[in-house]
Amino acid sequence: MMQVVLASASPRRLALLEQVGVRVQVCPADFAEADGKAAEARHVAVNNARGKCRAVAAAQGDAVPVVAADTIVVIDEDILGNPADAAAAEAMLNRLSGRSHTVITGVAVRYRGRELYKDCATSVLFRRLSAQEIREYVATGEPLDKAGAYGIQGRGALLVEKIDGCYNNVVGLPLTMLYEMFKELGADMTGD
């Protein structure tokens, strides 16, 4: 079983890696994420992932693959990060209600002196939500630490009508893309 260093405290990313049999050492990055405009969303997500990956690799080394990711939600011309509080979460969910948005995850992997970084985008359509549904969902606390104020792998699944693209990307780590990145770096993500 392959071991990786995950430059993130995200329990969702940890669970995804463990789901495919990867042993994970969690080492959150000491890196200040940047934000930006929707027009540069892919660039923002990739640069944040690269910054986290490099910060952890500088501290831990890269004899074991270091994996970092940054997930953002884009609607209209805005990037929606994690809501600051319940009111911000309600506002985000009202904005997403009945509409499509894009979830972009930037991923960076550093291994034995080599670094790869890519991004993955998935289109997500929300069903129309009532004000009461939004208030009840926010009251669960689930939206407060998630980009766009929802978690598709939790109760937020009930908000989503349809997705076009990688489901795991919406959770926070596009596993198929990551697997291909590992192969390109000469590492077997599912082997020893």
Side-chain angles (χ1 to χ4, degrees):
M1 187 177 356
M2 176 67 134
Q3 178 166 347
V4 303
V5 174
L6 177 61
S8 171
S10 167
R12 295 161 295 282
R13 291 187 181 119
L14 173 62
L16 285 170
L17 287 168
E18 289 178 337
Q19 164 189 314
V20 295
V22 176
R23 286 181 300 145
V24 182
Q25 175 190 347
V26 175
C27 184
D30 183 14
F31 176 79
E33 293 182 7
D35 47 11
K37 299 177 184 163
E40 56 193 33
R42 289 176 183 257
H43 183 73
V44 169
V46 166
N47 278 347
N48 283 339
R50 286 174 69 194
K52 293 176 198 179
C53 188
R54 288 176 177 174
V56 170
Q60 300 280 325
D62 65 0
V64 171
V66 177
V67 176
D70 185 50
T71 301
I72 57 178
V73 171
V74 179
I75 188 164
D76 301 324
E77 296 300 315
D78 295 321
I79 293 175
L80 305 182
N82 294 3
D85 53 29
E90 284 188 28
M92 285 183 190
L93 293 166
N94 270 308
R95 191 166 179 194
L96 297 172
S97 176
R99 301 184 62 205
S100 288
H101 60 276
T102 304
V103 177
I104 299 170
T105 302
V107 177
V109 180
R110 189 165 182 84
Y111 182 51
R112 296 183 178 165
R114 294 182 59 207
E115 181 181 270
L116 285 179
Y117 45 90
K118 296 183 180 185
D119 64 80
C120 182
T122 303
S123 177
V124 180
L125 172 65
F126 265 28
R127 64 180 178 80
R128 180 134 336 262
L129 308 173
S130 71
Q132 180 176 344
E133 287 174 313
I134 290 172
R135 280 192 305 276
E136 289 174 354
Y137 179 55
V138 171
T140 69
E142 184 177 275
L144 297 179
D145 69 340
K146 294 170 182 65
Y150 74 97
I152 195 170
Q153 73 287 350
R155 294 178 183 177
L158 300 175
L159 312 177
V160 176
E161 185 172 309
K162 176 172 91 168
I163 73 166
D164 183 15
C166 175
Y167 169 83
N168 290 322
N169 179 53
V170 183
V171 177
L173 191 62
L175 290 175
T176 302
M177 184 179 86
L178 181 62
Y179 178 76
E180 294 296 328
M181 292 171 76
F182 267 68
K183 283 181 24 182
E184 193 173 334
L185 288 170
D188 182 357
M189 192 168 105
T190 59
D192 290 325

